[in-house]
Short mmCIF file of all heavy atoms in Angstrom, two decimals:
data_model
loop_
_atom_site.label_atom_id
_atom_site.label_comp_id
_atom_site.label_asym_id
_atom_site.label_seq_id
_atom_site.Cartn_x
_atom_site.Cartn_y
_atom_site.Cartn_z
N ARG B 7 24.32 25.09 40.28
CA ARG B 7 25.17 24.82 39.14
C ARG B 7 25.57 23.35 39.05
O ARG B 7 25.49 22.72 38.03
CB ARG B 7 26.40 25.74 39.18
CG ARG B 7 27.00 26.03 37.85
CD ARG B 7 28.38 26.68 38.00
NE ARG B 7 29.23 25.87 38.87
CZ ARG B 7 30.10 26.39 39.75
NH1 ARG B 7 30.18 27.67 39.95
NH2 ARG B 7 30.87 25.60 40.49
N ASP B 8 26.01 22.82 40.19
CA ASP B 8 26.43 21.44 40.20
C ASP B 8 25.32 20.48 39.90
O ASP B 8 25.50 19.39 39.35
CB ASP B 8 27.02 21.10 41.61
CG ASP B 8 28.35 21.81 41.84
OD1 ASP B 8 28.89 22.34 40.83
OD2 ASP B 8 28.78 21.87 43.00
N ALA B 9 24.07 20.85 40.30
CA ALA B 9 22.93 19.95 40.12
C ALA B 9 22.38 19.98 38.72
O ALA B 9 21.72 19.06 38.25
CB ALA B 9 21.81 20.28 41.11
N PHE B 10 22.71 21.11 38.01
CA PHE B 10 22.04 21.31 36.70
C PHE B 10 22.29 20.16 35.70
O PHE B 10 21.38 19.57 35.18
CB PHE B 10 22.52 22.63 36.05
CG PHE B 10 21.79 22.95 34.79
CD1 PHE B 10 20.49 23.53 34.86
CD2 PHE B 10 22.32 22.72 33.57
CE1 PHE B 10 19.81 23.83 33.68
CE2 PHE B 10 21.65 23.03 32.38
CZ PHE B 10 20.39 23.58 32.45
N TRP B 11 23.54 19.78 35.60
CA TRP B 11 23.87 18.73 34.61
C TRP B 11 23.26 17.39 35.01
O TRP B 11 22.63 16.69 34.14
CB TRP B 11 25.38 18.64 34.39
CG TRP B 11 25.72 17.48 33.49
CD1 TRP B 11 26.38 16.37 33.85
CD2 TRP B 11 25.30 17.28 32.15
NE1 TRP B 11 26.45 15.49 32.79
CE2 TRP B 11 25.77 16.03 31.73
CE3 TRP B 11 24.53 18.05 31.24
CZ2 TRP B 11 25.57 15.52 30.46
CZ3 TRP B 11 24.33 17.54 29.97
CH2 TRP B 11 24.83 16.29 29.61
N PRO B 12 23.43 16.95 36.24
CA PRO B 12 22.76 15.65 36.63
C PRO B 12 21.28 15.66 36.34
O PRO B 12 20.74 14.70 35.82
CB PRO B 12 23.04 15.53 38.12
CG PRO B 12 24.28 16.33 38.36
CD PRO B 12 24.20 17.46 37.39
N ILE B 13 20.59 16.77 36.70
CA ILE B 13 19.13 16.77 36.48
C ILE B 13 18.84 16.76 34.98
O ILE B 13 17.98 15.99 34.50
CB ILE B 13 18.48 18.02 37.13
CG1 ILE B 13 18.67 17.97 38.66
CG2 ILE B 13 16.98 18.08 36.79
CD1 ILE B 13 18.15 19.19 39.38
N LEU B 14 19.58 17.61 34.25
CA LEU B 14 19.37 17.65 32.78
C LEU B 14 19.63 16.31 32.15
O LEU B 14 18.86 15.83 31.27
CB LEU B 14 20.28 18.72 32.15
CG LEU B 14 20.18 18.88 30.65
CD1 LEU B 14 18.83 19.44 30.25
CD2 LEU B 14 21.29 19.76 30.08
N SER B 15 20.73 15.65 32.56
CA SER B 15 21.06 14.36 31.96
C SER B 15 20.00 13.33 32.35
O SER B 15 19.71 12.42 31.55
CB SER B 15 22.47 13.91 32.37
OG SER B 15 22.43 13.37 33.67
N GLY B 16 19.39 13.45 33.51
CA GLY B 16 18.27 12.60 33.86
C GLY B 16 17.15 12.80 32.86
O GLY B 16 16.45 11.85 32.48
N GLY B 17 16.99 14.05 32.39
CA GLY B 17 15.94 14.33 31.39
C GLY B 17 16.35 13.74 30.06
O GLY B 17 15.52 13.11 29.40
N LEU B 18 17.56 13.94 29.67
CA LEU B 18 17.99 13.49 28.34
C LEU B 18 18.06 11.97 28.23
O LEU B 18 17.76 11.42 27.17
CB LEU B 18 19.38 14.06 28.01
CG LEU B 18 19.42 15.60 27.82
CD1 LEU B 18 20.84 16.09 27.62
CD2 LEU B 18 18.57 16.01 26.63
N THR B 19 18.39 11.31 29.35
CA THR B 19 18.51 9.83 29.28
C THR B 19 17.26 9.13 29.83
O THR B 19 17.07 7.95 29.62
CB THR B 19 19.72 9.31 30.06
OG1 THR B 19 19.56 9.69 31.44
CG2 THR B 19 21.02 9.88 29.54
N GLY B 20 16.45 9.89 30.54
CA GLY B 20 15.23 9.29 31.13
C GLY B 20 13.98 9.84 30.53
O GLY B 20 13.27 9.16 29.74
N THR B 21 13.64 11.06 30.85
CA THR B 21 12.38 11.67 30.42
C THR B 21 12.19 11.63 28.95
O THR B 21 11.14 11.18 28.47
CB THR B 21 12.38 13.15 30.90
OG1 THR B 21 12.56 13.19 32.33
CG2 THR B 21 11.07 13.82 30.53
N ILE B 22 13.16 12.08 28.19
CA ILE B 22 12.97 12.21 26.74
C ILE B 22 12.78 10.85 26.02
O ILE B 22 11.83 10.65 25.32
CB ILE B 22 14.13 13.04 26.12
CG1 ILE B 22 14.12 14.45 26.65
CG2 ILE B 22 14.06 13.02 24.59
CD1 ILE B 22 12.83 15.20 26.37
N PRO B 23 13.73 9.88 26.25
CA PRO B 23 13.50 8.57 25.60
C PRO B 23 12.21 7.93 26.07
O PRO B 23 11.46 7.32 25.27
CB PRO B 23 14.72 7.75 25.98
CG PRO B 23 15.47 8.52 26.98
CD PRO B 23 15.03 9.91 26.89
N LEU B 24 11.88 8.05 27.35
CA LEU B 24 10.66 7.47 27.88
C LEU B 24 9.45 8.09 27.17
O LEU B 24 8.51 7.38 26.76
CB LEU B 24 10.56 7.77 29.38
CG LEU B 24 9.62 6.96 30.26
CD1 LEU B 24 9.85 5.45 30.03
CD2 LEU B 24 9.83 7.31 31.70
N THR B 25 9.52 9.40 26.96
CA THR B 25 8.42 10.07 26.30
C THR B 25 8.28 9.63 24.83
O THR B 25 7.19 9.24 24.40
CB THR B 25 8.62 11.59 26.30
OG1 THR B 25 8.77 12.05 27.62
CG2 THR B 25 7.48 12.33 25.65
#
Side-chain angles (χ1 to χ4, degrees):
Chain B
R7 205 191 55 217
D8 291 347
F10 186 79
W11 174 247
I13 297 176
L14 179 68
S15 78
L18 293 174
T19 61
T21 303
I22 296 300
L24 199 51
T25 303

